[in-house]
Amino acid sequence: MHSNVVGQTLPFPEPKSASTVGNTLADSKHQWRSDTKHLPKDAPNIIIFMTDDAGFSNPETFGGPVHMPTLDRLANTGITYNSFHTTAMCSPTRASLLTGRNHHRVGAGQIAEFASDWDGYVGKIPKSTATFATVLNEYGYNTSAFGKWHNTPVTDITKLGPFDRYPTGLGFDYYYGFLAGETSQYEPVLFENTNPIQVPHDPTYHLTEDLAEKAIQWMRTSKTLAPEKPFLVYFAPGAVHGPFHVFKEWADKYDGKFDQGWEALRTMTFEKQKALGWIPQNATLNPIAETQQKWEDIPKSQHEFQTRLMEIYAGFLEHTDVQYGKIVDEIERQGQLENTLIIYINSDNGPSSEGQEGSISELLSQNAMPTTIEEQIDVLNNEYGGIEALGGPTLDVMYHHGWAYAGASPFQSTKLIAAHLGGTRTPLVISWPDKIKHDGKVRNQFHHVNDIAATLYDILDITPPKVVNGVEQQQLDGTSMAYTFDKPDAKSTKTTQYFEVMGSRGVYHEGWFAGTFGPKAPWSTDVTGVINWQPETDVWELYNLEEDYSQSNDLAKQNPEKLAELKALFTKEAADNLVLPIGAGLYTAFYNASQMPTSTLTQWEFFQGQTRIPEGLAPKFVSGRSTIAVIDAEIDKGAEGVLFAVGGISAGFTVYMDKGFLKAEYNAMTMNRYKITSKSAIDTGKVKIEIETKYDAKERLAPATITLKVNGKEVGQGRVERSVPAIFTASETFDIGMDLASPVALDYLDRAPFKFNGKIEKVDIKYID
């Protein structure tokens, strides 16, 4: 007997002769083996929506100012939760959600860009903590992810990979989105699976709309080709993280609705929250923080600017929710809505105050580049056409921290503060018509994003695997929420949960919460608290959340014994979950930038057509890093196009040809565009172009001289009076021979990606300091 399967025999008789093969096979009852079914017969489709930086109190559904029809629809047919929590930061929340573990345990104590070499902060999800997508895929689900994926190591985002920590390496059959913390909604830096793709420069394009369309296409494909299999859609767009990008008509819906300022908005929202029964009647509205700017202190000349930024944010949030609605509508058209579990996590953390006092270039604050609002409005009016440009593709805008605080009503603080509920708490809605009946009762059990995986396993009767792909698995940290589906008043089964982000930390235990603010307010540029920080001297607060929903009554002095108990518990949880050393999330961001995940090279050799190289792996043209770039090229008369560029519309450095002239532009965070051009058209034929960027000193904001040379002769020179200290953008790339995504220079805005029409033999770049 012969077999092509080791240890088995074919399930039909061996033919006696060639002439009888056909008859023997025809008479055989052989059939293809069938896969064992591991899922319940009625296993639901699963859709998880999670918005970025949306906060607690913005949805009209729960008392806020923003109309969100999809959230309304699901809340009115499903169940709602008002005590659900995140980690207070994006990457950590996503890693915790996907794995069912605490964020430090999966190496996500900080965003990937600021990872460091401590186990809890390394920025790599370990193989011992498989995602629920991996597990559900093995059990028979088709799986897909769309939108923001901020959990791939920065050093892996190249055409060389490795690809095991891309979404398709972590359990998803299909992925479409971006791998960074943010990207333009108009000209995003996208990937399909592991392949970089370029979107068209189309004035009608918007990323969130594109993501929804791709998700619908994928769901239709799943239904057509594998209708017997349930599917999982993880849909987490970049909206409404900065930059705030949305078409004018969406922002105009909110024209004049925020003219009263953020404190009045916060108060109105609080009153509506109580009227709706969304928060307890005895809840207290926390006042605006002492370090925050009051509306009455904003000059009237700035009111239009500040209110327009909030109008754009509101329109952006409504637009995002409407895209979710398209996906829900598609499920309904397919006749599968009744047996689809939809988990709508309103936000991955609290609303973001990182726009600080409002900005036309959001990374000004991350680079700690001092500007005034008056200066920004002058640039807006003189170079971009005024208020109408806000929300459009040429500016990366973000609102004032006061609007973020209004979006956290009634709590203290915002995103990045793990000690206060304004940074961690978000509304949650769950809809599953077949199994969950709408009862109009708000669930107030204390739960966390790490509970979602446990909940999915529970409803599917899946025991979390002990081994995945040969790797022994760590236990889940999450607790199933399924008990709350039909028992709205059940006592919470989650007794303990720690929180920590960049030194801001706390712990919940059986109704009590103790925490300490941390060394830096995210709405302030002041970093002296970080520089002089001694964690052991931090002042801790204590709250009884059973009686004090909004953390308004600090009991630390009245109950020092309970505070001591919880501080000791935090220390234990921190040790168990790889949180130590406290504040490690600040290390590369504030103490030692040289340890950021980045290229170790000091010189590079590039070739024409090499693109999509992450800024972190490319030569740096930021403060203090002097460089010389040598370009061997062949050009004709009237040559045009980009020789090399890094960054995008908000900041970057580009060298290009235009009508035979050699040009360079240093875009210093939109506020200053330093332009250098050759005195005349340069030589044609084979040429050697040199671009020297020489800084006056190795200091933040240091001035620099940029010199242009052709065939050894100086043809142009100019000054950069104030350089960018750290990064140009969060997702734009280094490109040779073109400028992909958004263009660095406005001068070729309408010609992007402005491909070079000559020939580039090579580009050598090295540091000269």
Side-chain angles (χ1 to χ4, degrees), residues 442-680:
V442 177
R443 272 72 175 161
N444 60 14
Q445 295 86 0
F446 193 100
H447 278 286
H448 187 272
V449 291
N450 63 23
D451 298 328
I452 297 297
T455 304
L456 296 179
Y457 296 153
D458 188 6
I459 65 174
L460 295 171
D461 196 24
I462 293 174
T463 300
K466 294 182 178 179
V467 176
V468 175
N469 294 326
V471 179
E472 187 174 346
Q473 297 293 291
Q474 300 181 44
Q475 68 179 23
L476 296 183
D477 293 310
T479 301
S480 173
M481 300 170 62
Y483 71 96
T484 66
F485 290 176
D486 58 4
K487 295 179 181 177
D489 300 319
K491 185 177 180 180
S492 176
T493 60
K494 192 176 191 74
T495 58
T496 305
Q497 179 62 51
Y498 84 89
F499 298 84
E500 194 279 339
V501 166
M502 294 196 295
S504 180
R505 58 204 188 274
V507 64
Y508 166 86
H509 183 66
E510 295 181 346
W512 289 84
F513 187 95
T516 183
F517 185 87
K520 185 180 185 301
W523 49 83
S524 172
T525 57
D526 184 6
V527 296
T528 56
V530 177
I531 303 304
N532 301 318
W533 184 45
Q534 299 293 327
E536 61 274 12
T537 65
D538 284 347
V539 177
W540 283 66
E541 302 163 1
L542 177 69
Y543 301 96
N544 181 352
L545 297 185
E546 297 289 336
E547 300 175 358
D548 179 15
Y549 176 79
S550 58
Q551 279 186 321
S552 61
N553 184 21
D554 181 5
L555 301 174
K557 292 181 178 178
Q558 292 96 310
N559 199 338
E561 295 83 5
K562 176 60 72 172
L563 178 61
E565 175 191 334
L566 264 65
K567 287 176 67 175
L569 178 59
F570 175 84
T571 299
K572 177 181 181 301
E573 290 291 307
D576 290 347
N577 285 279
L578 308 178
V579 180
L580 304 177
I582 295 298
L586 298 162
Y587 182 66
T588 55
F590 292 96
Y591 298 126
N592 195 342
S594 66
Q595 292 295 309
M596 289 174 60
T598 187
S599 174
T600 59
L601 298 176
T602 59
Q603 62 183 52
W604 293 258
E605 184 177 21
F606 298 104
F607 301 94
Q608 187 159 2
Q610 290 185 320
T611 60
R612 296 291 291 267
I613 298 169
E615 185 179 331
L617 299 183
K620 291 178 171 54
F621 296 89
V622 295
S623 298
R625 296 309 303 261
S626 296
T627 60
I628 186 165
V630 180
I631 305 164
D632 290 322
E634 189 172 332
I635 65 173
D636 295 327
K637 184 178 179 180
E640 66 176 23
V642 173
L643 297 169
F644 72 83
V646 60
I649 199 75
S650 62
F653 182 57
T654 180
V655 177
Y656 63 100
M657 298 292 303
D658 201 0
K659 297 179 180 179
F661 285 75
L662 177 63
K663 299 189 175 188
E665 180 171 327
Y666 191 105
N667 176 357
M669 300 311 303
T670 303
M671 296 301 296
N672 300 101
R673 291 179 174 273
Y674 303 103
K675 302 179 182 182
I676 303 96
T677 186
S678 61
K679 301 178 182 69
S680 60

Side-chain angles (χ1 to χ4, degrees), residues 132-170:
F132 61 70
T134 297
V135 176
L136 266 58
N137 190 274
E138 291 293 329
Y139 269 77
Y141 271 81
N142 293 327
T143 57
S144 62
F146 301 88
K148 176 174 173 176
W149 182 273
H150 201 189
N151 295 104
T152 297
V154 173
T155 50
D156 292 0
I157 307 175
T158 75
K159 293 177 182 179
L160 296 178
F163 301 110
D164 56 334
R165 288 187 173 87
Y166 282 53
T168 51
L170 291 170

